[in-house]
Amino acid sequence: MNFPFACSSEDHNVVSFFFQVTGGSLEESKEALAIAETDARLFCSVGVHPTRCKEFEDSGDPEKHLQDLLTLAKEGKEKGKVVAIGECGLDYDRLHFCPSDIQKKYFEKQFELAYTMKLPMFLHMRAAAQDFCDILQRNEDRFVAGVAHSFTGSAEDCDKLLSFSNIFIGVNGCSLKTAENLEVVKGIPVERMMIETDSPYCDIKNTHAGIGYVKSSWPSKKKDKHDQECLVKGRNEPCLVRQVLEVVAGTKGIADIDQLSKILYHNTCRVFFPHDLGSAAEALLDCGKEAL
């Protein structure tokens, strides 16, 4: 899974992004780091997805499991590849994978990783806003920043998240399915938003409420006939983050899509690459707020 974010481009069929290969378990986090090391453009996270949190107890030694995650995060950060702790959080839509008490226990435990490593958190919240925000509040001094990615909650859920000054909202195709979703996105301040694909999932489909704002497209072919000039049919690809940008701009009535993309990219850098954020980027954000 990758997590690209939009940047500005003069060519409306090209968007700059960075790839985050997401860790959803200890083993996946090891694989994510190995993949990230193959290309300078790739980065990764280390953590355990809420639906996988039983692995802590299944390991026979939950504290050792946590320490193994910490060791991996340290290794990856030293290599300049691990940029976040996660994907972690709460998912009450899929309790058949892991009960809520286990999810809550080990979501809270992973703040120890964020605190020790001084890394932001890559967060997952499904149908669990109250418990999720309660845990955030108890640990708000233990993490530097975070993004609640692939957000699909209500306006009330969004407001709860935005009450934390260091939380951003991640928007992708799954965030843009219904008219209600679009109203929620419309209300997210651009300085608190990021955009993503969550590829290979969460593409914008023809049935989605936001499809009317999509202007860009790419040729695609079935996997067995694929070539490098085309997308794989039915698979969300990183370049399609451009379509998310277009829907966000259309929903918010923003004409200057390049300026919007610069602001969203700045938000991403502010969280995941704060050491690279210079005064020019800060000036860019200030100008963007005035323009919007």
Side-chain angles (χ1 to χ4, degrees):
M1 184 186 302
N2 58 48
F3 188 51
F5 300 89
C7 186
S8 62
S9 172
E10 295 301 318
D11 180 348
H12 283 202
N13 287 316
V14 177
V15 179
S16 298
F17 38 71
F18 92 88
F19 299 87
Q20 177 180 296
V21 186
T22 305
S25 66
L26 176 57
E27 287 307 310
E28 273 191 7
S29 296
K30 291 176 181 178
E31 293 171 3
L33 178 56
I35 292 170
E37 289 184 83
T38 66
D39 192 299
R41 296 168 296 180
L42 302 181
F43 301 89
C44 67
S45 66
V46 169
V48 179
H49 191 279
T51 60
R52 316 273 191 84
C53 278
K54 286 200 294 185
E55 75 170 44
F56 282 96
E57 300 194 350
D58 290 345
S59 72
D61 190 341
E63 285 303 317
K64 182 180 182 302
H65 203 72
L66 189 69
Q67 287 302 309
D68 288 345
L69 286 163
L70 179 60
T71 298
L72 183 65
K74 285 180 178 177
E75 175 191 346
K77 187 178 180 182
E78 288 171 359
K79 293 176 176 178
K81 288 298 182 179
V82 171
V83 296
I85 298 300
E87 180 177 354
C88 57
L90 299 176
D91 189 327
Y92 290 179
D93 276 342
R94 291 182 280 182
L95 293 174
H96 52 288
F97 289 119
C98 185
S100 61
D101 58 330
I102 299 294
Q103 289 191 32
K104 287 188 287 186
K105 179 178 180 179
Y106 292 106
F107 175 31
E108 195 139 19
K109 281 283 189 183
Q110 290 181 80
F111 283 88
E112 295 180 22
L113 303 177
Y115 180 74
T116 301
M117 296 304 305
K118 300 295 184 286
L119 285 172
M121 300 190 78
F122 182 55
L123 299 165
H124 178 107
M125 187 185 83
R126 286 284 183 275
Q130 189 59 59
D131 285 349
F132 184 94
C133 289
D134 286 347
I135 291 172
L136 281 186
Q137 187 157 22
R138 286 199 298 272
N139 294 276
E140 61 183 341
D141 61 346
R142 295 176 63 81
F143 70 107
V144 293
V147 55
H149 102 106
S150 192
F151 182 77
T152 59
S154 66
E156 181 182 1
D157 294 343
C158 187
D159 288 343
K160 287 178 180 176
L161 290 173
L162 292 173
S163 71
F164 297 92
S165 62
N166 58 348
I167 291 291
F168 292 73
I169 310 293
V171 173
N172 61 28
C174 290
S175 313
L176 306 168
K177 287 183 178 181
T178 68
E180 181 183 3
N181 290 154
L182 296 186
E183 281 301 307
V184 173
V185 168
K186 190 175 181 180
I188 302 172
V190 294
E191 64 269 19
R192 299 291 297 280
M193 183 188 291
M194 299 182 196
I195 60 173
E196 55 171 293
T197 60
D198 202 23
S199 64
Y201 317 108
C202 295
D203 54 325
I204 299 174
K205 301 185 184 300
N206 290 333
T207 55
H208 287 186
I211 190 65
Y213 295 117
V214 172
K215 297 180 174 61
S216 59
S217 63
W218 289 261
S220 64
K221 293 182 180 180
K222 292 183 178 179
K223 189 175 181 179
D224 59 348
K225 298 180 179 179
H226 175 253
D227 63 60
Q228 291 189 355
E229 301 301 315
C230 298
L231 308 185
V232 175
K233 192 174 185 66
R235 185 171 77 185
N236 198 9
E237 304 262 8
C239 64
L240 295 176
V241 73
R242 175 75 196 190
Q243 295 184 343
V244 179
L245 178 65
E246 291 166 350
V247 176
V248 169
T251 298
K252 286 181 164 292
I254 295 172
D256 190 344
I257 195 168
D258 285 339
Q259 184 62 42
L260 173 62
S261 68
K262 290 173 184 176
I263 293 170
L264 298 175
Y265 190 70
H266 172 94
N267 295 343
T268 305
C269 293
R270 192 164 75 185
V271 171
F272 294 107
F273 303 102
H275 51 285
D276 293 329
L277 200 59
S279 57
E282 290 293 346
L284 175 63
L285 181 62
D286 291 339
C287 291
K289 286 180 181 177
E290 292 173 7
L292 300 175

